[in-house]
Amino acid sequence: MISLPDSDSEDELPPGWEERATDDGKVCYVNQQGKTSQWTHPRTGRSKRITGELPLGWEKYYDEQGKRFMFLNKETQQRTNVDPRLAFAVEEPTQNVAQVRQRFDSCSTALQVLHGKDLHGRTALITGANCGIGFETARSLAQHGCEIIFACRNRTSTEAAIERIAQERPAARSRCRFAALDLSSLRSVQRFVNEIKQTVSHIDYLILNAGVFALPHTKTEDGLETTFQVSHLSHFYLTLQLETLFDYKTRIVVLSSESHRFANLPVENLAVHHLSPPPEKYWSMMAYNNAKLCNVLFAQELAQRWKQRGISVFSLHPGNMVSTDLSRNYWFYRLLFAIVRPFTKSLQQAAATSIYCATANELTGLSGLYFNNCFFCEPSKLSKGTSLQQQLWQLSENLISELLEEEQH
């Protein structure tokens, strides 16, 4: 329990704290000394929101040089990044998921979710953004003004993807860029993070989209089974290494799957061989199920650990049997996907839930939820076990530390 200095006013902020407002009007409280943030007042424990139009004589504009929204008092020419309506913020009821009304469903598209949104000044980092759901996610955000970092392995296919976006919206070309990331290599993740930190000061949306499916048993350069490292471990490492670029305006979106319900990880004594099995105990479908469970476990634990920073973390299922490049690794799955394609989601529909989790105003202040068809639902009982969440986190940290230490010797 934090001890706060006495004050005559219950609403007065303690020393070192300040108020900020999000674009959708939610008030966030930032502790400059502790570098933490939260959605509730540090004294009252209540949340606030700004409402209504700007005061007479004020206007809001986007500062291209500073890459942020500013407020101008046209009479005095005063410029500030603090919303003048903060002085009139009003308390609002405690936000909980039961108050969220369903606005979209399985038929909704990513562009429908984004209708009317202006994302200029926002930055999204998307893994696997050069094809499939990742491409549709990047394309939709870019069309609404968002800057996109395509975190991909293949430069040629990524540049072709960016060109496709530019053909539709020429202005989007300057907002899209390639950054080399090979999720089968922890060293590649390190190089990627160093590059991003030199060029980016803040990430609004981290969308962990990349994954593999139906692979034969293969090992990465780090000696781990590929499905596990690409789908979970490298994303885990990437997220923690980028931590300094996140704040209360950041949302982290982890693509999982309903397949996580069929995983067979043990509740106790989780070990590396459960996550990265040897060839004789490997089945590609179970490897995928377990990796998708790891995605939900990671998102749940991360949401809890970063709760006080105001960072929202969500995991999701994009859609049933979506036609993506994931099926390219095995002829049987390619055939199956071709047969069921008329009954499945389009890629635009599949990207809708990722876009919703990243941008929906009504999710501000919420975290640790699992979504399907643009609405929250209960994940598996196994994924909600705090013990397993913590075991996976600790095992992942230890594994990364050991692998990187081995490479130094």
Side-chain angles (χ1 to χ4, degrees):
M1 187 71 178
I2 300 174
S3 178
L4 300 176
D6 292 335
S7 171
D8 294 333
S9 171
E10 184 187 43
D11 202 46
E12 181 182 339
L13 287 171
W17 288 82
E18 65 179 47
E19 289 180 322
R20 295 181 187 171
T22 62
D23 292 340
D24 63 317
K26 185 89 172 174
V27 176
C28 181
Y29 300 89
V30 180
N31 184 329
Q32 296 290 4
Q33 296 172 341
K35 302 299 181 184
T36 60
S37 57
Q38 58 193 59
W39 296 109
T40 54
H41 193 288
R43 287 191 190 278
T44 67
R46 294 189 285 269
S47 57
K48 285 186 175 183
R49 178 177 291 279
I50 55 175
T51 58
E53 300 295 325
L54 287 168
L56 189 64
W58 285 84
E59 68 176 23
K60 182 180 179 181
Y61 68 97
Y62 182 66
D63 178 13
E64 290 286 353
Q65 186 174 359
K67 301 290 185 183
R68 60 181 178 176
F69 284 101
M70 298 288 289
F71 299 89
L72 169 67
N73 185 322
K74 291 184 284 187
E75 183 178 340
T76 65
Q77 293 302 301
Q78 174 192 357
R79 298 173 191 271
T80 177
N81 64 341
V82 177
D83 193 317
R85 294 171 294 178
L86 271 173
F88 312 104
V90 295
E91 289 186 359
E92 62 176 1
T94 302
Q95 176 78 346
N96 64 69
V97 73
Q99 296 171 305
V100 177
R101 177 177 61 87
Q102 183 168 7
R103 296 190 293 130
F104 306 102
D105 57 26
S106 61
C107 296
S108 302
T109 67
L111 290 173
Q112 287 172 338
V113 173
L114 286 171
H115 179 71
K117 284 190 178 291
D118 180 2
L119 301 180
H120 284 87
R122 306 292 182 88
T123 299
L125 193 161
I126 308 172
T127 64
N130 57 346
C131 62
I133 298 171
F135 172 75
E136 285 300 325
T137 303
R139 168 179 169 264
S140 302
L141 291 171
Q143 286 192 8
H144 283 258
C146 190
E147 295 187 18
I148 312 294
I149 299 170
F150 286 68
C152 305
R153 182 177 55 179
N154 189 308
R155 176 183 287 274
T156 302
S157 64
T158 302
E159 289 177 348
I162 293 173
E163 182 59 31
R164 285 172 59 193
I165 293 172
Q167 287 175 358
E168 284 186 309
R169 191 70 58 90
R173 184 192 300 273
S174 62
R175 296 195 291 267
C176 298
R177 70 181 178 94
F178 166 77
L181 173 64
D182 181 355
L183 291 168
S184 66
S185 164
L186 293 177
R187 287 298 181 193
S188 175
V189 176
Q190 282 186 328
R191 291 190 294 269
F192 173 83
V193 168
N194 290 336
E195 176 187 346
I196 296 303
K197 286 184 174 180
Q198 289 173 8
T199 57
V200 175
S201 59
H202 180 263
I203 293 173
D204 296 276
Y205 315 125
L206 174 65
I207 302 178
L208 305 178
N209 166 86
V212 291
F213 176 75
L215 288 181
H217 187 276
T218 54
K219 286 189 175 183
T220 66
E221 70 173 46
D222 297 306
L224 296 172
E225 192 278 313
T226 303
T227 306
F228 165 66
Q229 180 164 345
V230 170
S231 298
H232 166 68
L233 192 68
S234 289
H235 275 143
F236 174 91
Y237 185 46
L238 172 69
T239 304
L240 298 191
Q241 291 298 297
L242 291 173
E243 180 179 358
T244 56
L245 303 184
F246 306 146
D247 66 8
Y248 66 94
K249 292 180 287 186
T250 299
R251 291 195 186 175
I252 298 172
V253 179
V254 186
L255 268 74
S256 178
S257 167
E258 282 291 276
S259 295
H260 85 275
R261 301 185 189 279
F262 307 104
N264 67 354
L265 295 182
V267 177
E268 299 293 340
N269 302 315
L270 183 68
V272 175
H273 67 82
H274 296 124
L275 302 166
S276 178
E280 62 273 15
K281 293 188 177 180
Y282 177 80
W283 177 36
S284 62
M285 194 67 234
M286 190 55 68
Y288 180 76
N289 295 347
N290 287 340
K292 295 295 101 178
L293 174 60
C294 287
N295 294 150
V296 183
L297 291 167
F298 167 52
Q300 300 271 22
E301 181 67 13
L302 184 67
Q304 188 63 34
R305 287 175 181 247
W306 286 1
K307 187 177 182 180
Q308 292 305 314
R309 297 184 57 194
I311 298 171
S312 292
V313 184
F314 304 117
S315 56
L316 63 93
H317 169 63
N320 292 322
M321 295 295 289
V322 173
S323 175
T324 76
D325 282 356
L326 279 180
S327 61
R328 64 185 177 272
N329 297 306
Y330 185 36
W331 70 267
F332 172 75
Y333 291 111
R334 290 201 301 272
L335 175 62
L336 182 59
F337 274 61
I339 292 171
V340 303
R341 184 170 298 171
F343 311 102
T344 64
K345 284 186 176 185
S346 68
L347 290 175
Q348 254 293 304
Q349 291 169 328
T353 305
S354 298
I355 295 289
Y356 178 76
C357 288
T359 66
N361 291 342
E362 61 265 34
L363 300 184
T364 300
L366 298 175
S367 190
L369 299 173
Y370 175 76
F371 287 80
N372 185 0
N373 294 328
C374 296
F375 200 58
F376 69 92
C377 70
E378 287 293 320
S380 69
K381 182 179 179 181
L382 191 59
S383 72
K384 294 192 291 184
T386 55
S387 173
L388 189 56
Q389 292 168 12
Q390 292 165 4
Q391 286 180 72
L392 177 65
W393 186 285
Q394 194 61 56
L395 191 151
S396 300
E397 277 191 334
N398 293 344
L399 196 52
I400 290 168
S401 178
E402 290 170 7
L403 290 169
L404 293 178
E405 281 183 14
E406 286 177 7
E407 290 188 14
Q408 291 176 351
H409 295 303

